[in-house]
Amino acid sequence: MNLIAPTVIDTAELIGTVVAAVANFYQVRLEQDIHSSGHQLLLCTRRTRLKKIGQKVMVGDRVIIEEPDWLDGRGAISEVLPRQTELQRPPVANADQILLVFALEEPTLDPWQLSRFLIKAESTTLKLCLCLNKSDLISETQQQQWQERLHQWGYDPIFISLVQDRGLDNLLNYLQQKITIVAGPSGVGKSSLINKLIPTIDLRVGKVSGKLQRGRHTTRHVELFELPYGGLLADSPGFNQPDLDCQPANLAWYFPEAKARLEQESCQFSDCLHLDEPNCVVRGDWERYEYYRQFLADAIAKQSALKQAPDEESSLKLKVKRSGKQQYEPKLESKKYRRRSRKQRHQNLQELYENQSLEDIYQEDR
Ligand SMILES: Nc1nc2c(ncn2[C@@H]2O[C@H](COP(=O)(O)OP(=O)(O)O)[C@@H](O)[C@H]2O)c(=O)[nH]1
Ligand SMILES: [Mg+2]
Ligand SMILES: [Zn+2]
């Protein structure tokens, strides 16, 4: 135990990773072990200088902390170190990979929905790992069929069952020492998986994120959870039907089976969209070619809709509905920056989650 509070600290060297963010508060896990007898986590604000230059702080950012108050576990973020990667949805910096989780049953694995998520994940620069849960609910034969089918798509999924504790060691190998975004539709076992891998946390399991339950615990905020042997996991609930907002010309590259063709040969036209153009090397009898055509139509529609309404872009956002219809919706209006009361500054992050309104949470980052 360190009974004497250190008087001189080289604060320039104090570096940590932001593991949670709510409004103007950031929870930072320190990399150094020197103060582990006191606080490994500091609740931090952002230096005014950073606000002035418009430097945002994201979950996953490595930051420099100044003026640590070891007694209260407080500090101030003075600098954000350069990001290796940056995702907007969910907003996470420095993630290494995406762990895409689907269930084989309950809900039944839907190849179209799975493909939407796969394409979305492929369109980031992050590595992708596909994990299929609830293998206890299907037969060996069915599992093998999925394995072969997905192999044709270009994937080698990890089959797991959380209720039977199957396949988890295999999965852990992928997660250690990495920042991983856990993604997938609701009900597939993402929260159960995180609870299993990190026994000290207790995420709510079995909640379907319907309209009324889209509270900030379940959908809006991102938090990084630390694996017992190193590595961070981000739960990213709340996107059930990812938007395909990629460039139409890039779409084929997000299908591994099409990408393999493009890497071997070229289409006659460099801007080939692989529809009816002559001498196209992508068009063909691969299983997901029809999905490619549908997703391409979505991507083109979305792009031309954005072009038609450039002025509205700032106050409106384009949403693609489940039906495929597009619609502009107003973005959340951000409130003016408000000074926080002393009481509020002394709340901990957990209380803040409970008390903040959505607008407050988003006022800063819009
Ligand atoms: N049969 C079966 N059910 C599971 C398994 N893993 C999770 N579940 C159940 O699936 C439901 C949804 O789990 P949850 O973790 O909330 O999914 P999330 O919405 O993706 O976070 C819960 O009722 C879990 O108990 C599994 O391996 N097998
Ligand atoms: Mg969940
Ligand atoms: Zn082509």
Side-chain angles (χ1 to χ4, degrees):
M1 280 287 264
N2 187 3
L3 292 175
I4 304 160
T7 45
V8 182
I9 300 158
D10 187 4
T11 51
E13 293 304 313
L14 208 54
I15 295 178
T17 300
V18 178
V19 292
V22 172
N24 306 312
F25 291 89
Y26 304 92
Q27 198 151 46
V28 178
R29 175 166 294 280
L30 298 178
E31 285 174 8
Q32 290 87 346
D33 246 349
I34 41 168
H35 299 288
S36 55
S37 58
H39 295 277
Q40 271 190 326
L41 282 174
L42 292 181
L43 187 56
C44 298
T45 50
R46 186 175 59 149
R47 276 255 169 276
T48 319
R49 189 182 68 84
L50 292 185
K51 279 178 207 156
K52 279 192 185 136
I53 62 171
Q55 171 69 65
K56 295 207 169 130
V57 179
M58 295 173 84
V59 166
D61 266 329
R62 291 182 73 225
V63 294
I64 296 180
I65 313 280
E66 281 180 359
E67 294 172 22
D69 174 347
W70 299 109
L71 285 178
D72 277 356
R74 301 291 171 126
I77 295 171
S78 64
E79 207 171 310
V80 177
L81 300 178
R83 291 172 185 145
Q84 305 302 311
T85 62
E86 183 180 323
L87 270 192
Q88 291 312 320
R89 279 213 207 166
V92 177
N94 299 320
D96 295 291
Q97 55 189 7
I98 296 173
L99 177 69
L100 187 55
V101 184
F102 266 73
L104 290 149
E105 273 300 339
E106 292 180 18
T108 302
L109 185 46
D110 169 12
W112 191 87
Q113 190 193 32
L114 174 59
S115 290
R116 295 285 288 207
F117 275 85
L118 284 170
I119 297 301
K120 188 73 195 175
E122 296 280 5
S123 71
T124 69
T125 57
L126 304 184
K127 244 185 75 184
L128 169 61
C129 177
L130 176 60
C131 171
L132 299 178
N133 186 28
K134 310 199 189 184
S135 66
D136 53 287
L137 297 179
I138 65 164
S139 69
E140 279 286 325
T141 319
Q142 285 172 307
Q143 185 172 316
Q144 212 159 350
Q145 283 166 352
W146 270 117
Q147 174 119 46
E148 281 159 20
R149 185 170 180 186
L150 293 171
H151 185 74
Q152 297 295 315
W153 295 11
Y155 295 99
D156 186 16
I158 299 177
F159 290 86
I160 65 165
S161 166
L162 289 168
V163 298
Q164 292 185 341
D165 241 329
R166 271 198 269 157
L168 290 174
D169 288 348
N170 201 0
L171 182 59
L172 258 181
N173 285 336
Y174 281 89
L175 306 179
Q176 245 131 59
Q177 314 304 334
K178 299 261 167 50
I179 297 184
T180 304
I181 305 217
V182 181
S186 58
V188 299
K190 297 182 300 298
S191 300
S192 308
L193 175 67
I194 294 174
N195 287 343
K196 185 80 129 200
L197 295 175
I198 310 174
T200 52
I201 62 168
D202 188 16
L203 296 178
R204 284 191 286 178
V205 159
K207 288 267 157 72
V208 178
S209 55
K211 272 243 158 60
L212 290 172
Q213 284 156 331
R214 294 190 61 167
R216 41 222 167 270
H217 283 284
T218 46
T219 54
R220 287 298 194 153
H221 85 270
V222 192
E223 187 166 354
L224 292 176
F225 302 109
E226 201 171 15
L227 286 163
Y229 299 102
L232 295 165
L233 293 182
D235 192 10
S236 64
F239 56 102
N240 288 337
Q241 207 59 257
D243 288 347
L244 292 186
D245 43 14
C246 65
Q247 293 289 326
N250 292 340
L251 184 66
W253 291 90
Y254 305 145
F255 287 81
E257 60 276 58
K259 181 171 176 245
R261 289 165 183 242
L262 284 166
E263 278 169 348
Q264 281 188 353
E265 302 172 81
S266 303
C267 297
Q268 183 179 331
F269 298 100
S270 60
D271 57 353
C272 186
L273 287 178
H274 323 300
L275 295 171
D276 306 308
E277 298 92 334
N279 299 316
C280 170
V281 300
V282 169
R283 185 177 57 239
D285 59 350
W286 43 289
E287 188 199 338
R288 295 199 297 166
Y289 179 62
E290 198 39 51
Y291 291 173
Y292 168 75
R293 293 181 68 110
Q294 290 170 25
F295 294 175
L296 182 69
D298 287 355
I300 291 171
K302 180 144 191 182
Q303 210 184 40
S304 53
L306 277 179
K307 271 189 199 138
Q308 277 165 22
D311 298 341
E312 290 167 52
E313 221 185 314
S314 53
S315 58
L316 295 173
K317 65 180 177 185
L318 187 66
K319 265 210 133 151
V320 180
K321 301 266 155 194
R322 243 198 122 86
S323 61
K325 267 200 195 136
Q326 297 181 351
Q327 190 176 308
Y328 281 99
E329 289 184 357
K331 284 181 180 173
L332 267 179
E333 208 54 65
S334 64
K335 282 185 188 164
K336 276 234 176 84
Y337 177 74
R338 281 199 314 250
R339 235 188 112 83
R340 268 156 218 293
S341 69
R342 206 177 168 75
K343 178 177 161 278
Q344 218 169 351
R345 276 188 275 132
H346 285 269
Q347 284 176 318
N348 66 31
L349 209 58
Q350 195 56 45
E351 287 168 334
L352 283 167
Y353 288 158
E354 266 137 37
N355 297 336
Q356 295 289 309
S357 70
L358 266 186
E359 285 86 343
D360 283 338
I361 288 172
Y362 275 82
Q363 72 177 4
E364 178 125 341
D365 291 318
R366 287 204 169 248

